[in-house]
């Protein structure tokens, strides 16, 4: 679906991103080919981003490309999949000049190298609206071994990797609403780190898993729903960065502040359930437990709280 | 990347579109699973559409969903692939109400049934801009048997299925620039028919193949470029519908008019090359031949013409 000029630009901007993968046909074909990998299933995810909704207006083009890849890799990380390829659809807005498009492609290229993926195809179009793009990311898992959201069982413990809440505070920092010494919080928001390092651990021990993109409360609720169990979440156990802990101390209503940290999303950590007998893996924090029943019970500041929808806040 | 409300709407609108495929996990997971199919390669394509660029502002939502699927299936048809699944990313604009979203989903659902595909996942987001969506479509081909653009050989004949030019005239008709008795041309533009019926024929005989989405001239140029050959295209042989033939008769410059019909795109027919000894398949028209060399030579009204870029015209 490319015009003639577009065809030349696709070649110049994006062919290097195929990284020599034969199945990309140098982006000269209508489609890409992915050969089978014996003993493996293909895992596929697809997330979209819109300027002014998922990243601030005026964001640097290379960071847009990198964040687009990273949010998709975060989904594959939670599934314990090994990413290898992606497809890109991007709608360039009127003001997005050649140099911006080049920078977007360079940013994406840098992270494809970092994470070992090849761009196999996609589409570039024009839009009278804001910058919009979607990425389809593909990974491998050993056959039948994808970690689902639906495997949590009564008795399991709920654990989360890294820190929670830096995503939503990072957005506050980017928008100048809070002080962010050293820019750590804004960096976390702009530049998520997909937890691909957790693959072996998740495959070995996790009964269910999701990435924390919508907010811990929402993502844990999804696990409860998909698994047909009840989950009890204790926000007093939330692992916090120094920046988030400092912010929390200054809040008048600690329970409300904890709910906010667990509702904001954009953390791109992994929340998972593990059987109670399994030793807590390094870097994980126990934040709850699974029982029979349904839905989510949340405690904060030592008492039950109503987390509302616990949804995800856009920019 | 869905908020809490969005999660419920995804379930209501899109779960029926999974058509019971186990790998979709009822759209409750971060990702989908696609098991291997022995002896087959996976073929993947991804095209995007933007309101006001790829379809007229105010188009009926069900037709948007159907066209999005059909333009992607057209790519798979040209590759002789058997489609089975897709992923959707859609950005809803502000004015796109619940009823519009339902109609979009219903239109897409109808065509998933028609063509036997399951929706396995994706993302829904909001946009301050126009309706924007991308579809990633997956199909199977016997291992190593995808028909590429790069297989054309000197001596081959160039053939095209169906009629050429109804796409660009259909856009003229939709925009009220030409008379369209019975609405046939507008229908062809709005409602492309992916040529999945050509699969066996292409697998048996074609050396190279592409769908006619950018315009016959551009798509044939892509085949010449990918194959490292020269292609000679004779537009006097263009297969035309009655509506296109009537339009052509009224044009003062027949050569220019033929170039327009072969440049407009949105035909969603298949152009392919076949060895000269192969019998011309029913429904195909010989429009050119392949020689050694490079690039494209175009004749119309009995003389060489400069087709320019032969590119694709947006709405």
């Amino acid at each position: 679906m490319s015009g003639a000029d577009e065809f030349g630009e696709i070649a110049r901007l994006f062919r290097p991103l195929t990284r020599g993968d034969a199945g990309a046909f140098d982006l000269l074909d209508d489609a890409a080919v992915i050969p089978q990998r014996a003993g493996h299933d293909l895992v596929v995810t697809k997330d979209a981003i819109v300027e002014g909704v998922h990243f601030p207006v005026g964001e640097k083009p290379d960071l847009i490309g990198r964040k687009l890849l990273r949010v998709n890799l975060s989904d594959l990380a939670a599934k314990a999949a090994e990413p290898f390829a992606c497809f890109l659809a991007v709608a360039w807005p009127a003001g997005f000049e050649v140099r911006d498009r080049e920078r977007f492609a360079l940013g994406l290229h840098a992270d494809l190298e970092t994470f070992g993926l090849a761009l196999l195809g996609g589409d570039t179009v024009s839009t009278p609206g804001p910058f919009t793009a979607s990425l389809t990311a593909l990974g491998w898992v050993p056959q039948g071994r994808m970690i689902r959201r639906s495997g949590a069982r009564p008795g399991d413990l709920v654990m989360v990797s890294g820190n929670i809440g830096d995503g939503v505070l990072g957005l506050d920092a980017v928008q100048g609403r809070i002080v962010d010494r050293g820019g750590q919080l804004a960096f976390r928001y702009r530049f998520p780190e997909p937890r691909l390092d957790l693959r072996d651990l998740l495959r070995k021990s996790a009964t269910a898993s999701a990435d924390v993109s919508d907010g811990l409360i929402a993502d844990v609720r999804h696990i409860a729903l998909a698994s047909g169990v009840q989950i009890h979440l204790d926000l007093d156990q939330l692992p916090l960065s120094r920046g988030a802990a400092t912010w929390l101390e200054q809040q008048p209503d600690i329970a409300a502040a904890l709910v906010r940290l667990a509702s904001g999303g954009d953390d791109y950590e992994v929340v998972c359930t593990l059987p109670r007998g399994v030793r807590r893996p390094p870097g994980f924090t126990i934040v709850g437990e699974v029982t029979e029943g349904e839905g989510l019970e949340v405690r904060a500041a030592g008492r039950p709280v109503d987390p509302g929808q616990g949804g995800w806040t856009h920019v």
Side-chain angles (χ1 to χ4, degrees), chain A residues 186-304:
Chain A
F187 183 81
R188 268 292 299 270
Y189 173 77
R190 287 204 154 101
F191 210 62
E193 190 65 39
R195 298 304 306 266
L196 292 161
D197 58 309
L198 303 177
R199 189 183 308 146
D200 292 343
L201 190 151
L202 291 171
R203 284 186 188 170
K204 193 173 157 194
S205 309
T207 52
S209 175
D211 81 320
V212 184
S213 53
D214 299 345
L216 181 66
I217 288 171
D219 291 307
V220 169
R221 182 183 279 121
H222 296 163
I223 290 177
L225 176 67
S227 299
V229 296
Q230 188 169 48
I231 294 185
H232 306 259
L233 201 56
D234 183 357
L235 300 187
D236 293 327
Q237 307 306 319
L238 272 194
L240 301 179
S241 69
R242 186 171 302 184
T246 302
W247 174 86
L248 182 65
E249 282 168 14
Q250 299 162 352
Q251 302 310 305
D253 181 341
I254 296 295
L258 285 168
V259 168
R260 180 149 194 269
L261 293 178
S263 305
D266 272 322
D267 289 313
Y268 302 104
E269 294 293 343
V270 168
V271 59
C272 60
T273 55
L274 290 90
R276 201 173 283 261
V278 173
R279 194 164 149 179
R280 180 176 60 80
F284 274 81
T285 305
I286 299 172
V287 293
E289 59 180 353
V290 181
T291 64
E292 293 188 3
E294 61 179 25
L296 188 64
E297 302 242 306
V298 182
R299 295 178 69 87
R303 55 184 169 81

